[in-house]
Amino acid sequence: MAQNYSLMARKNLLKPDEAPKYYAVARSGRKVTVKEVCKRISERSSYSKGELEGCIGEFLLEIVNVLTEGNIAQVGDLGNFRMSLKTATPTATEKEFKASCIDKGKVLFFPGSDLRKLCKTLDYALYKSDSKEDPGKEEPLPDDGGGDNGGETPDPDPAA
């Protein structure tokens, strides 16, 4: 199946006099929950939905534990999770730097070979809305296209 995309006009903020250029933005169909994924797996395997949900919950908890210990969580062919830091206040010297200069931690994900291969072999299809709305009106991105995360995927919430 092809990856749907829509087009978005974006101005170059460094060159405000230039006309906007169009960029592809990936369109997601819908969110698929862990419960639905577990149901799909249970329908084609001998694992029960409850066993799978329990395993995934414990697995996520263990990834959080591995990251908390300062390690990289290597998750087989899925990829790797590791921590990164954002410095709020850089200092002129190493001696001046304190932990309070760090703004926050972020979880980074690096896809494994299967996901990298998927990205290289995708087909693309322009998304066309069925609605008769204003064609100039852009639909919001799944993450509302904003926030203070700079368009990055939000960190996973271990409490969820």
Side-chain angles (χ1 to χ4, degrees):
M1 182 167 216
Q3 169 64 55
N4 286 331
Y5 69 92
S6 59
L7 295 175
M8 181 174 288
R10 294 186 180 158
K11 285 191 166 226
N12 182 343
L13 298 179
L14 298 175
K15 300 176 184 176
D17 295 335
E18 287 186 4
K21 294 186 179 181
Y22 288 84
Y23 294 85
V25 177
R27 297 286 307 210
S28 298
R30 64 183 180 92
K31 290 182 182 179
V32 179
T33 65
V34 170
K35 287 183 182 281
E36 185 175 345
V37 169
C38 291
K39 182 177 182 238
R40 289 179 182 185
I41 294 170
S42 70
E43 289 171 353
R44 67 173 186 264
S45 71
S46 62
Y47 301 109
S48 74
K49 195 173 94 155
E51 288 172 327
L52 291 166
E53 288 176 13
C55 269
I56 289 173
E58 289 299 317
F59 184 75
L60 294 175
L61 179 63
E62 194 53 35
I63 288 176
V64 170
N65 290 339
V66 167
L67 294 174
T68 301
E69 294 166 352
N71 298 315
I72 295 172
Q74 187 174 12
V75 189
D77 291 338
L78 181 63
N80 299 323
F81 293 89
R82 73 173 181 87
M83 293 301 300
S84 175
L85 301 175
K86 180 181 177 198
T87 300
T89 313
T91 60
T93 66
E94 186 176 340
K95 195 172 187 174
E96 292 176 290
F97 196 92
K98 306 282 187 252
S100 61
C101 295
I102 299 171
D103 183 34
K104 64 180 178 178
K106 296 191 315 183
V107 176
L108 300 179
F109 174 71
F110 295 92
S113 58
D114 289 349
L115 293 177
R116 287 194 313 268
K117 183 179 174 186
L118 168 71
C119 292
K120 289 179 182 178
T121 60
L122 277 177
D123 291 323
Y124 306 100
L126 182 61
Y127 174 80
K128 295 182 178 157
S129 176
D130 293 334
S131 65
K132 304 273 192 255
E133 293 180 11
D134 178 10
K137 181 182 174 192
E138 292 292 335
E139 292 187 34
L141 298 174
D143 66 352
D144 295 330
D148 59 359
N149 61 359
E152 294 180 3
T153 303
D155 294 340
D157 181 4

